Amino acid sequence: MKQRSRGAVRRRFAAITTIGVVLAAGLVTTPVPVQAAEQNLILNGGFEEGLANWFVNNGNANDSATLAPTTDAYSGTGAALVSNRVTTGSGPMQDLSGKVQAGQTYSLTARLKYANPDSPETKQFFATMHYGGGTYTNLVSVVATRGQWAQFSGTFTIPAGQSVSTARLFFETPWTSAPSSDPHLHLMDFTLDDVSVIGAPPPPTPSKTIEVVGKLPGEHNPLIGHKFGADGFGFVHGGRVYMYLTNDTQGYAPDPVTGISPQINYGDINRITVISSEDLVNWTDHGEVQVAGPNGVAPFTNNSWAPGMARQVVDGEEKFFLYYANGGGSSNVITGGSPLGPWASERTSTLINGGTPGAEDVAWKFDPAPLVDDDGEEYLYFGGGPASTSMPPAERFNNPKNLRAIELGDDMVSTEGSAVVVDAPVAFEAGHVFKREGRYYFSYSSHFGGNDFGGNQTPLPGYPGGGQIGYMISDDPMSWPKETYAGVLFPNQSQFFGAGTGGNNHQSVFEFEGKYYFTYHAPTLNKRINGNTTQGYRSPHIQELTFNPDGTIQQVVGTYGGVDQVRNFDPFRVFEAETLGWSKGIATAKVDGGSTQFGAEAPNLVVRDVDDGDWTALSSVDFGDGGARSVTAKVRALAAGARIEVRLDTLAGPVVGTVPAGTPTAQWAEVTAELEGVSGVHDVYFTYHGPAGEDLFEIDSWSFAATGTQPELPVTTTVQARCLAGRAYVAVQARNDHDGPVDIALETAHGARSFADVAPGANAYQAFGTRATSVTAGSATVRVTGSVDGEDVTTERTVEHPGVDCTG
C-alpha cells in the first residue's frame, strides 16, 4: 500500500508484482484465502446501462475530467470514454464503500484502450483504491499498447487493519506532479470496459435500529428516540415546525453483541435528516436528504453538516433554501419546492468558499445560518475555527473574530458585497441570528481554548466559558461589535445531562405561535444506549426561551422534560405511522411514492423492523367527547399471526382494539379494528405482537374514525401490478372481515367487477388485463356494502399500486 497526502505535491510509491498486484510497503504476503459465495461487486461494469454507478474521481480538489458513454466497446454495446483529464488520477470511479472488507482478497479484471497518435506506443495504467483522506493503493496494473485493448487481470488483498468505510475504485495513469507539461504522455483519453471485482459478498449491513427506549414516556427531550440528529435548525411554515439535522445516524453501526458503535465519523456525513411537528412533542420522520456525495443533489460537495433553512419568494415563486456546511472549507445551498423538497441545486460550485470577499481569514467557512428579515432583506451568517495567528494571544482567545455576516442576493443562492466581522467574545462556531421586537440576536458556540486560540487562558469577566452558547444584541443585522455581547444563553449541556454529554454545541431559535424556542443537541440517546460512555452521536432538544423586560434572555436550563405540547393531537385524519411521541425498537425507511399526509412530492416513510414487544406511541391524542369507534392501519404483513394492540395512557394500559396484521401477503393493505371506550384525551400506545424473532409487518399510516360517523365495514384490501406472458395486469383483492356477508365492487382504470354475498373471511379477487407491456402507478377503488346493527353501510377504500414494466 502507498499512502498519498492531499496537497500540491503528492508522492506515490508502488511495488508491483509480476501479476500486477501492488502490495503495501512492508506488507507480508500470505496465501490467497479460500473464498465462499464470491460475487461481482461492480455494478454496470460493462457500461450497458450507460454511466450508471460511475463518476469521475474527485478525491482531490484538482481532479477533473469528462466521462461519456461510447459504443466503441470491447464487448457488448457500451463502454466509458474519459477525456479532458486534468490530473493523472482523473479517471472513471465506482464507490465500493460497504462492499469490500478488510483482510479479504479480490480478483480484478477490466479492459482498457487508448488511441491518441501523439501518445507513446505503450503506457502503464493502474486500477487504484482510494480509502479516504490521503490513502491510495494501486491494486492492479497493465501496460497497454496504443490502439489495442489491454486487460487488467490480478488479485489484491486489503490489509486487515485498513479502514474501508470509504473505498472507491478508479482507473488512472501513473502519478506525476505536473502532468500538463506533457499531456500526451500523462493525460491521454482512454476507454474502459468490462470491469469486475470478484470476491466475498458485502458484509451484512449493521442494524442501526435502536432497541432501547431513548425518549422516555412523559418526557419530551430528546425529540426522537429511534435515530440521532445534531445541529438542529428550527423553521416554521404552514403551522408546523420543521427541524433540519446533521445526520449523525449515517455512521452509526452498533456491534451486534455489545450494542456499542464505533466513534462517529463526521467526514462520512453527506445527508440531512428532516423531522417536523405541529405540537412540538409528536414528531414525524421525513427521512434523509441526500445532499452531497456522488449521488447527491449537489455532487460537487462532499459533506452536509449544520443545516440552515429559509423561505423566500423569488421572481414570484415561493422557494425554500437549505444551506449546509461542506466540511470545514466551504458552505453551499440547495433549493426546494417545499420544506420537504423536492430538492435541486441552482449552483455548480459552493456558495461560501475561499473566494468569498471578507472571508479570507476565516479558518472554517461553515455553519451557514440564513435570516430573511421582515423587510425582505436576506443575510447569511457563517464561520468559525482557529483565530488568526497574527493576533496577540489575549485577543485570539477573547475576540478571535472568526465569524462573519454577509448579505445574500435576491436569488438566495448568491452573495452581495463583502462579509463583515462578527466580533463575538470567545467565539468558536454555530453563528445564528433571529429577530424579536425590532432587535437582532446573534447566538454562537464558544471555544475551549488551546493553541488555536492563543493557549489556555481565563476569559474576560462575563465572557463565556468553554462550550457554552453566548449571545449578542444589535439594532443592525450587519453590525456586531464586541460591545453588543449580552451574556451566556446556555451553559454546556453536560451541566444538565451529566457524564458523557459534553463537547461543543449548535443552536437555533424560532418563534412558534407567540413563543420562542431554543434548539440544541446533546448525546442523551447515545448515553441511554451505552451508559455514561458516548461515541459522539447527538440528539435534538428544545427548550422554551424567555426574556427579561429589557430584552435580554433568561439563561436556558436543559431538561429531559423539554417543552409543553402546544396542542392535542388530532387523530381523525390519515397521518403518517412514523409520527412518534415515543417508541421502542423500531426503525423507519423510505418507500416508493409520495406521502398521503404531506403530498405526492413529499417523501413517504414507513415504520419497519418491527419485532414482538416493540411499540410506538402518541402524546395527548384528543378523541373528543364523542370518541372514536375504529382505527385503520395501512400495513404490509410479513409474519402470520401478527397483531397490533391499541392501548390507552400507558404501555400496560387497557387494550381498546386489536388490529389483525398477520396475513403475510407482502402487499400493502388497509386493515380496520373496532374500538371500545375511546373518548377524551389520552396517550395512545400501539403495541406490536407476533412470532418471536421475525419481522412482523411494516406500517405506513394510521387513521381513526369518529363515533358520530357512519360505521365502517372491516375489509382488508390489496392491489398489485404484475406481468403475465409479457403483458401487464392489475390484480385487486378484498377480504371480508365483517361478521356477515357483504357485496364488494372492485374498480380500476382497466375495468370493474362486482361480487354479491361475499361470506365472512372470503375474498373477492379480479385480475384486470391491460393488453399493454407496462402500466403506470395508479389506484383501485374497493366499495363494500353490508349491514351493521340493521343499518345498510357502504365503506369505500382507495388503494394505490406501483407501476410495472414487463419488457425487461
Side-chain angles (χ1 to χ4, degrees):
M1 180 195 301
K2 173 280 339 105
Q3 291 194 351
R4 180 167 80 201
S5 298
R6 298 180 68 173
V9 178
R10 303 177 301 173
R11 299 188 180 276
R12 172 176 291 178
F13 170 79
I16 304 179
T17 71
T18 57
I19 63 169
V21 183
V22 181
L23 300 176
L27 180 67
V28 178
T29 60
T30 58
V32 175
V34 176
Q35 299 179 1
E38 293 184 342
Q39 68 180 62
N40 186 7
L41 306 184
I42 294 291
L43 299 176
N44 190 29
F47 299 96
E48 301 306 311
E49 300 175 31
L51 300 177
N53 302 109
W54 292 92
F55 54 96
V56 174
N57 174 25
N58 56 6
N60 285 281
N62 294 328
D63 291 335
S64 178
T66 300
L67 192 62
T70 177
T71 56
D72 180 18
Y74 177 80
S75 68
T77 60
L81 172 66
V82 60
S83 59
N84 302 317
R85 296 194 301 138
V86 174
T87 64
T88 57
S90 300
M93 171 176 273
Q94 187 162 139
D95 193 346
L96 299 182
S97 303
K99 293 185 176 182
V100 295
Q101 306 175 58
Q104 291 286 334
T105 296
Y106 301 88
S107 61
L108 182 150
T109 60
R111 298 283 182 170
L112 182 145
K113 181 177 72 172
Y114 71 101
N116 186 346
D118 296 321
S119 293
E121 183 177 353
T122 61
K123 180 65 177 179
Q124 186 180 37
F125 289 82
F126 289 113
T128 300
M129 193 82 83
H130 183 198
Y131 292 111
T135 304
Y136 293 75
T137 302
N138 299 133
L139 305 175
V140 178
S141 78
V142 68
V143 175
T145 300
R146 186 181 61 235
Q148 300 179 20
W149 284 100
Q151 181 178 17
F152 290 90
S153 182
T155 61
F156 63 92
T157 300
I158 300 178
Q162 175 64 57
S163 170
V164 290
S165 60
T166 298
R168 308 202 301 172
L169 172 71
F170 67 101
F171 293 83
E172 61 174 346
T173 47
W175 180 85
T176 184
S177 60
S180 60
S181 64
D182 193 346
H184 298 305
L185 176 61
H186 302 297
L187 299 176
M188 71 279 286
D189 301 351
F190 63 86
T191 304
L192 185 69
D193 199 5
D194 291 353
V195 184
S196 70
V197 173
I198 306 294
T205 302
S207 173
K208 295 178 183 290
T209 302
I210 295 168
E211 299 293 346
V212 305
V213 181
K215 179 183 181 183
L216 302 183
E219 295 181 347
H220 299 163
N221 278 329
L223 304 185
I224 50 178
H226 69 293
K227 61 170 59 174
F228 304 98
D231 309 322
F233 190 99
F235 172 75
V236 177
H237 180 75
R240 297 187 73 87
V241 175
Y242 294 84
M243 189 79 71
Y244 300 85
L245 305 161
T246 301
N247 179 26
D248 278 18
T249 308
Q250 190 162 344
Y252 181 67
D255 183 277
V257 176
T258 66
I260 297 176
S261 174
Q263 200 75 14
I264 190 171
N265 182 356
Y266 302 109
D268 288 342
I269 297 175
N270 56 21
R271 302 171 193 155
I272 288 172
T273 298
V274 186
I275 61 175
S276 76
S277 177
E278 58 195 3
D279 59 32
L280 301 185
V281 174
N282 298 295
W283 290 87
T284 302
D285 183 358
H286 299 288
E288 281 66 47
V289 181
Q290 182 67 63
V291 175
N295 300 315
V297 178
F300 54 89
T301 58
N302 295 318
N303 296 113
S304 57
W305 306 340
M309 169 57 68
R311 170 202 169 276
Q312 184 61 295
V313 176
V314 179
D315 295 331
E317 180 182 358
E318 182 184 50
K319 293 184 176 181
F320 298 82
F321 300 89
L322 180 55
Y323 299 81
Y324 63 96
N326 178 37
S330 61
S331 293
N332 197 47
V333 58
I334 59 176
T335 307
S338 79
L340 299 176
W343 302 101
S345 178
E346 297 184 29
R347 298 187 57 87
T348 58
S349 61
T350 52
L351 172 66
I352 301 293
N353 50 49
T356 302
E360 297 86 355
D361 294 334
V362 177
W364 297 345
K365 300 172 180 63
F366 73 166
D367 288 3
L371 170 70
V372 177
D373 207 344
D374 45 25
D375 62 2
E377 293 299 314
E378 308 101 341
Y379 307 91
L380 190 71
Y381 304 87
F382 66 93
S388 172
T389 56
S390 64
M391 296 180 183
E395 186 179 6
R396 290 181 69 194
F397 187 95
N398 287 288
N399 297 96
K401 300 178 177 61
N402 51 1
L403 303 178
R404 294 292 185 271
I406 196 168
E407 293 186 27
L408 287 168
D410 290 340
D411 60 6
M412 298 290 285
V413 297
S414 63
T415 60
E416 293 182 352
S418 182
V420 300
V421 172
V422 177
D423 193 3
V426 199
F428 189 38
E429 58 184 16
H432 175 273
V433 172
F434 71 95
K435 188 177 184 180
R436 176 182 178 269
E437 297 182 355
R439 306 170 78 186
Y440 301 89
Y441 292 73
F442 183 99
S443 59
Y444 62 96
S445 179
S446 61
H447 67 71
F448 294 88
N451 293 334
D452 286 339
F453 294 93
N456 294 324
Q457 304 177 42
T458 301
L460 292 174
Y463 278 13
Q468 298 184 336
I469 304 298
Y471 76 105
M472 310 166 80
I473 305 175
S474 175
D475 295 326
D476 185 341
M478 291 289 286
S479 177
W480 301 98
K482 62 184 178 182
E483 288 77 17
T484 60
Y485 176 72
V488 171
L489 165 57
F490 184 66
N492 190 267
Q493 61 276 10
S494 61
Q495 177 174 323
F496 309 111
F497 302 109
T501 65
N504 60 315
N505 215 316
H506 194 118
Q507 77 301 329
S508 78
V509 174
F510 64 89
E511 182 184 5
F512 186 53
E513 300 188 354
K515 292 185 177 181
Y516 287 83
Y517 296 92
F518 173 77
T519 76
Y520 63 103
H521 62 232
T524 45
L525 175 56
N526 195 177
K527 182 173 180 175
R528 279 177 169 158
I529 295 170
N530 300 144
N532 286 337
T533 60
T534 61
Q535 292 77 46
Y537 297 94
R538 302 157 296 177
S539 293
H541 290 229
I542 295 179
Q543 307 290 163
E544 188 176 341
L545 201 62
T546 56
F547 297 82
N548 297 309
D550 62 357
T552 57
I553 301 173
Q554 295 182 14
Q555 194 169 106
V556 174
V557 174
T559 68
Y560 282 108
V563 299
D564 293 335
Q565 188 164 333
V566 172
R567 60 176 53 80
N568 293 331
F569 189 86
D570 174 15
F572 298 124
R573 53 180 172 160
V574 177
F575 59 92
E576 299 298 336
E578 61 275 12
T579 301
L580 307 169
W582 307 283
S583 65
K584 175 190 177 295
I586 58 92
T588 58
K590 284 185 180 179
V591 294
D592 292 340
S595 164
T596 302
Q597 182 178 356
F598 295 94
E601 294 295 324
N604 187 33
L605 274 70
V606 299
V607 172
R608 60 173 297 273
D609 199 8
V610 178
D611 304 314
D612 181 56
D614 291 344
W615 52 269
T616 59
L618 295 166
S619 174
S620 297
V621 180
D622 189 355
F623 295 104
D625 294 338
R629 60 172 179 77
S630 67
V631 60
T632 297
K634 185 177 180 180
V635 299
R636 190 167 76 94
L638 301 175
R643 68 189 189 280
I644 303 169
E645 294 180 349
V646 183
R647 299 171 181 264
L648 299 184
D649 299 322
T650 70
L651 188 60
V655 176
V656 294
T658 300
V659 179
T663 303
T665 64
Q667 300 297 321
W668 287 102
E670 291 188 345
V671 185
T672 298
E674 299 299 317
L675 300 176
E676 294 183 5
V678 179
S679 63
V681 178
H682 300 273
D683 295 341
V684 175
Y685 288 78
F686 303 103
T687 61
Y688 307 130
H689 306 278
E694 295 187 39
D695 281 350
L696 303 181
F697 38 72
E698 295 177 348
I699 316 170
D700 189 6
S701 63
W702 299 104
S703 63
F704 287 83
T707 299
T709 59
Q710 185 187 59
E712 290 191 356
L713 291 164
V715 59
T716 299
T717 58
T718 61
V719 58
Q720 306 167 56
R722 294 176 173 173
C723 297
L724 179 65
R727 293 293 183 264
Y729 68 94
V730 175
V732 185
Q733 178 174 293
R735 187 185 70 219
N736 177 17
D737 296 327
H738 188 42
D739 57 8
V742 297
D743 297 336
I744 299 179
L746 310 178
E747 299 177 2
T748 74
H750 313 287
R753 184 177 176 185
S754 297
F755 301 80
D757 294 326
V758 179
N763 292 298
Y765 174 86
Q766 180 64 41
F768 296 98
T770 67
R771 298 185 180 181
T773 57
S774 64
V775 64
T776 59
S779 63
T781 299
V782 177
R783 190 171 294 104
V784 183
T785 301
S787 177
V788 177
D789 297 330
E791 177 185 357
D792 289 337
V793 173
T794 297
T795 296
E796 185 174 296
R797 298 279 177 82
T798 299
V799 188
E800 297 176 351
H801 66 79
V804 66
D805 185 348
C806 304
T807 60

